[in-house]
Amino acid sequence: MTATAPTAAPAAPDDRAAELGAELDRLRAEIVAARGADDARYIRTVIAVQRGLETGGRLALAVSLFPPAWCAGTAMLTTAKILENMELGHNVLHGQWDWMGDAAIHSTTWDWDFLTPADAWKHTHNHLHHAYTNVVGRDRDLGYTILRMSPEQPWHPVHLLQPLYAALLAPVFEWGIALYDLEADAVTAGRKSVRTLLRDIAGLARKAARQTAKDYVLFPLLAGPSALPCLLGNLAANSLRNIWAHTVIFCGHFPGDVQTFTEEQLQGESRGQWYLRQIQGSANIEGGFLFHVLTGNLSHQIEHHLFPDLPSNRYAELAPRVRQLCTRYGLPYVTGPLWRQYTSMWGRILRHALPSRLLPAHRDDPDKGFAAVVDDPLAAATASGTLH
Amino acid sequence: MPVPPLPFSPPLGGRLAGWGLGRAGRHVLAAASWLTGPLTSPSTLDDYLGLVDPLLSARHPAGRITAVRAEGPAAATLTIRPGRGWRGHRAGQYLPVGVEIDGVRHWRTYSITSPPGLPGGPVTLTVKADPRGLVSPHLVHRTPPGTVLRLGPAQGKFVLTRPLPARMLFVTAGSGITPVLGILRTLARGRTGGLDVVLLHSAPEPDQCLLRTELTGLASRSPWLRLHLIHTRTDGRLTPERIVALCPDWRRREAWVCGPAGLLDAAQRQWGAAGLRERLRIERFRLMPVLPPRAGAMGGRVRFDRSGIEADASPSDPLLVAGEKAGVALPYGCRIGVCHGCLVPLVDGRVRDLRTGKVHGEPGELIQTCVNAAAGRLVLDV
């Protein structure tokens, strides 16, 4: 930041956004240039640990009539499924490891132990959610089409029940994602043909049949006398993985301080403004190294949204630098420990279960109070002089 | 950057891999992979076996370097033990190898110099280090035994014809000798009665003649083979006139020619003029284009291979945009470099990342067309 003469007019917000964009582009280029053998070793280690844990878990559950084996097996399998889903599946499918040129660890060849087929998810997640993060009406991840997470979303009486179905969604989150990826709402809106929907349903059915048969039929049968505890162990592992994924993902976008946007704000949005929206539309969770690995580094949700295709092991070193940048530009950087983000997220689900007019002004409602400040934070920061 | 040496044989994997690569082991593993498919879905047993030893994976065939022999100061012969899933080769074919350098896998092809053997039997490659290149110096100077390479299927039509012709002529220059050495070794292993083979090989001078010892040794052991070594520093180039002078009955022989473009073009003209084009087989080595110093400034002509459309692309236009302007239906997603929904394989040429300015691209690499522009002439497989 250069010091400006007191008489100089503050830079226009568009220029500030462009500057911010240029700084973030430089950060990205720095990491791209530094990627190398250590990063490759990291992802291969995670893969080896995940497959080792999965093998260990399956073997222990095969003799799970013996209670300690059940506990150890379920714990190992749960951890393996969490790693497979988050640090591996989510991140590999983002293309974070495509730079290695390894056909075995590539977004075009990878598939995951999750009900939704990789291709369906790549479309709704990598494209719709990451390009239109938190834009009401465009980002379907904003409440996953069933929850009302912002005052701009119209209220229906059914939203009174949303705390209940948000809670019920957690243990069956993978089913929720799978059905959501079918985009049945796009068919009624005329954006998707019935034929495509039927093809997608067939694809999901095949994948779901394979994955459920594995956990709930084949492995229990192979466990012989331990069939029932093995089945329960697999059920527990899948449910715990679902609850964990649901928690991490909801805490990434729905804590109270995270912003939502309107489609008008997308008009002519520059790269800098896109970056700005990603920062305001995401929230981090604080924790240690293992915690970050188990969240698939989605605890660095802000960095992930700024640079979704950089390798996840690099987000931790980016985080303090992005945060510093936000401080310099007077931008919010939403972060906190898991318990705080979790309660804040639930507060938002509860609040928006009720129609907005029944609520007192709250600072995350852009149409009230805080709105003037957050609508254009760069302009606000420039006007209030925090940038100079 | 040097790659740390990998353990020659992983402690657990060694014996298991040895068994798994035998004839019986291969059948057992193939059956086990099929049977366990539903249990490992969406992965395969191979993904797990590959962690024990990469050679056990048939899904991503690999080979381990068991010996590296220097061939003078700037070349080396690598002996590679291929793993499960590599399907062997015919003499004269080349082998795509995937070499990992600082975390990134680079693919290059090298001619196989060993005769075809049993599955899992060793293959040898002789690699000449190109000082301007990345991969060949790495393979020659910085690759210890024990290193694992990914292997592609052996390819190429520069092979022996069946039934075997009695009279053959091989014309080679420089590293063009490598596929021919593989062919000659294969011939030497079979019945050589009635064979009449001439090899004209040119190299700058005796010291710089790649595989000279092997060639002279093979020629002295093989009465059916006549070897003429031409040293271009003293004797001048291997021209059509020299070919005719050294092998007057060239018209009556099946011919194989391998070497630099100039030699190949001359051979094509010579055999074409004699109306004997179908007797000539040539092998072109395509060298990676060397990066021009200021590639960032130029765009280039883009060919969309499958649709057959060609278009000029400006240096600032993403390939996706250039393609759409030309009426090519390209896959696309977010259009801002985020979703990787627009990946298209590069056939030839280089691209420039519009975000970093970096020029990159190797044949087969998947390109994000929405954030990469042409850096010179290029071909996309779409």
Side-chain angles (χ1 to χ4, degrees):
Chain A
M1 225 46 11
T2 51
T4 38
T7 49
D14 281 355
D15 296 342
R16 303 291 298 156
E19 271 176 51
L20 173 73
E23 292 213 42
L24 287 167
D25 278 341
R26 275 197 293 278
L27 262 187
R28 183 179 191 284
E30 202 182 300
I31 299 292
V32 165
R35 289 182 306 208
D38 287 344
D39 303 88
R41 196 171 305 123
Y42 171 81
I43 195 66
R44 296 211 171 103
T45 305
V46 176
I47 289 173
V49 167
Q50 188 275 325
R51 288 184 183 151
L53 282 171
E54 169 137 16
T55 309
R58 299 286 185 193
L59 289 174
L61 283 171
V63 292
S64 51
L65 264 184
F66 180 53
W70 189 88
C71 296
T74 305
M76 281 193 278
L77 189 60
T78 305
T79 316
K81 278 180 177 273
I82 285 173
L83 284 175
E84 198 271 346
N85 195 211
M86 309 197 67
E87 185 67 335
L88 294 177
H90 172 270
N91 293 339
V92 173
L93 290 176
H94 255 293
Q96 292 185 4
W97 302 95
D98 287 3
W99 60 274
M100 288 165 56
D102 185 339
I105 312 174
H106 201 280
S107 63
T108 54
T109 59
W110 193 268
D111 201 358
W112 54 358
D113 178 19
F114 211 45
L115 295 174
T116 193
D119 283 337
W121 182 82
K122 277 192 281 191
H123 170 67
T124 61
H125 182 85
N126 289 3
H127 178 193
L128 298 182
H129 168 57
H130 272 272
Y132 304 114
T133 311
N134 280 25
V135 175
V136 178
R138 290 300 282 275
D139 179 7
R140 296 169 69 255
D141 278 27
L142 189 61
Y144 296 97
T145 65
I146 53 168
L147 301 176
R148 181 171 177 265
M149 302 303 287
S150 116
E152 289 92 352
Q153 290 171 298
W155 182 85
H156 296 293
V158 69
H159 288 129
L160 285 171
L161 291 175
Q162 78 174 17
L164 179 69
Y165 56 73
L168 290 177
L169 174 66
V172 292
F173 193 48
E174 62 176 324
W175 284 102
I177 297 284
L179 297 175
Y180 163 79
D181 283 349
L182 290 176
E183 293 188 286
D185 53 315
V187 177
T188 43
R191 279 180 285 118
K192 178 172 176 172
S193 71
V194 175
R195 201 190 164 122
T196 316
L197 177 70
L198 290 176
R199 190 201 60 199
D200 290 350
I201 289 175
L204 169 60
R206 276 193 301 274
K207 178 86 189 278
R210 277 206 311 272
Q211 298 316 107
T212 50
K214 172 173 89 161
D215 281 339
Y216 303 127
V217 181
L218 298 177
F219 274 111
L221 281 180
L222 285 173
S226 298
L228 186 62
C230 174
L231 185 144
L232 292 175
N234 292 348
L235 182 65
N238 277 330
S239 307
L240 289 169
R241 186 268 321 270
N242 286 341
I243 292 169
W244 178 246
H246 175 271
T247 303
V248 170
I249 291 161
F250 272 54
C251 286
H253 289 297
F254 306 142
D257 296 330
V258 172
Q259 302 307 309
T260 55
F261 307 88
T262 61
E263 288 197 65
E264 292 79 66
Q265 285 172 283
L266 277 182
Q267 297 294 321
E269 186 182 57
S270 68
R271 184 155 179 84
Q273 289 162 335
W274 181 83
Y275 272 137
L276 188 58
R277 179 158 54 81
Q278 302 305 322
I279 295 173
Q280 293 171 274
S282 310
N284 282 7
I285 316 170
E286 292 162 2
F289 173 76
L290 270 183
F291 173 80
H292 290 313
V293 172
L294 288 174
T295 65
N297 276 296
L298 290 178
S299 45
H300 297 118
Q301 189 75 235
I302 297 174
E303 288 72 29
H304 172 59
H305 263 266
L306 289 172
F307 312 113
D309 59 353
L310 288 186
S312 56
N313 62 322
R314 294 282 185 160
Y315 290 150
E317 69 182 87
L318 280 165
R321 301 177 65 183
V322 170
R323 189 171 191 169
Q324 201 188 15
L325 211 64
C326 289
T327 314
R328 257 200 294 130
Y329 280 78
L331 297 172
Y333 185 91
V334 182
T335 184
L338 181 62
W339 65 266
R340 199 199 300 155
Q341 306 299 64
Y342 192 69
T343 44
S344 175
M345 175 268 286
W346 272 106
R348 189 159 172 170
I349 291 175
L350 292 169
R351 202 159 55 245
H352 295 301
L354 299 172
S356 301
R357 64 194 149 78
L358 295 182
L359 294 171
H362 188 275
R363 66 195 204 94
D364 83 295
D365 297 351
D367 55 342
K368 303 188 180 73
F370 195 57
V373 184
V374 296
D375 244 8
D376 198 340
L378 284 177
T382 310
S384 65
T386 53
L387 287 175
H388 294 282
Chain B
M1 192 175 291
V3 173
L6 297 169
F8 185 81
S9 178
L12 168 63
R15 258 179 301 168
L16 180 59
W19 168 82
L21 295 174
R23 187 183 289 258
R26 282 168 189 257
H27 289 303
V28 171
L29 286 183
S33 277
W34 184 78
L35 281 173
T36 56
L39 296 176
T40 51
S41 167
S43 311
T44 63
L45 184 63
D46 275 39
D47 295 323
Y48 289 82
L49 291 172
L51 291 174
V52 178
D53 187 328
L55 268 61
L56 287 174
S57 168
R59 192 175 175 194
H60 301 289
R64 181 174 283 116
I65 296 178
T66 55
V68 180
R69 194 180 68 232
E71 304 277 359
T77 293
L78 312 176
T79 307
I80 299 168
R81 186 185 184 205
R84 229 184 117 218
W86 191 70
R87 295 177 179 279
H89 76 286
R90 293 174 66 189
Q93 286 192 312
Y94 53 85
L95 175 68
V97 294
V99 186
E100 191 176 317
I101 302 174
D102 198 20
V104 181
R105 196 166 293 280
H106 303 267
W107 285 87
R108 296 290 187 276
T109 55
Y110 298 101
S111 291
I112 300 173
T113 52
S114 54
L118 297 168
V123 295
T124 59
L125 308 176
T126 299
V127 180
K128 202 169 145 189
D130 174 359
R132 298 165 305 172
L134 171 72
V135 176
S136 60
H138 182 86
L139 281 175
V140 171
H141 302 299
R142 295 186 289 277
T143 304
T147 304
V148 172
L149 307 172
R150 286 267 170 84
L151 305 181
Q155 293 164 35
K157 296 195 172 102
F158 191 75
V159 291
L160 283 174
T161 42
R162 301 279 167 195
L164 208 55
R167 302 157 77 83
M168 293 179 248
L169 166 64
F170 295 93
V171 182
T172 58
S175 55
I177 186 61
T178 48
V180 170
L181 184 61
I183 291 176
L184 294 177
R185 282 174 168 161
T186 308
L187 289 174
R189 246 187 10 180
R191 286 196 310 179
T192 53
L195 267 188
D196 172 8
V197 179
V198 175
L199 167 60
L200 311 181
H201 177 57
S202 85
E205 52 188 82
D207 280 355
Q208 288 183 39
C209 179
L210 196 62
L211 298 165
R212 188 166 183 272
T213 325
E214 280 77 3
L215 280 179
T216 49
L218 185 65
S220 64
R221 286 195 306 275
S222 313
W224 47 272
L225 173 63
R226 265 189 295 146
L227 168 67
H228 292 280
L229 285 176
I230 296 111
H231 298 122
T232 54
R233 292 267 158 83
T234 49
D235 310 342
R237 285 193 165 202
L238 187 53
T239 56
E241 296 74 42
R242 298 283 289 280
I243 295 174
V244 174
L246 290 166
C247 182
D249 61 350
W250 63 277
R251 293 165 191 271
R252 290 164 48 208
R253 294 174 180 269
E254 294 296 314
W256 284 260
V257 181
C258 184
L263 175 69
L264 301 182
D265 295 342
Q268 277 184 319
R269 281 194 300 271
Q270 181 183 349
W271 265 262
L276 297 168
R277 185 63 192 81
E278 75 285 354
R279 293 204 132 185
L280 174 70
R281 285 150 213 91
I282 59 167
E283 178 82 316
R284 274 181 203 278
F285 286 143
R286 274 197 325 163
L287 287 172
M288 288 296 298
V290 178
L291 207 75
R294 277 177 298 149
M298 60 179 202
R301 194 156 180 85
V302 182
R303 192 168 89 233
F304 301 93
D305 216 17
R306 284 191 216 176
S307 47
I309 296 176
E310 283 201 27
D312 285 313
S314 82
S316 56
D317 260 357
L319 291 168
L320 177 59
V321 175
E324 287 172 340
K325 277 186 192 162
V328 185
L330 289 161
Y332 69 93
C334 67
R335 311 182 79 95
I336 51 173
V338 166
C339 77
H340 289 242
C342 62
L343 294 176
V344 165
L346 182 67
V347 178
D348 192 20
R350 312 270 286 166
V351 297
R352 191 164 52 89
D353 191 317
L354 290 167
R355 300 167 296 183
T356 59
K358 195 183 154 212
V359 175
H360 66 105
E362 289 176 11
E365 187 178 326
L366 292 162
I367 302 295
Q368 279 180 285
T369 55
C370 73
V371 287
N372 280 285
R377 208 185 154 76
L378 67 98
V379 184
L380 292 174
D381 185 18
V382 66

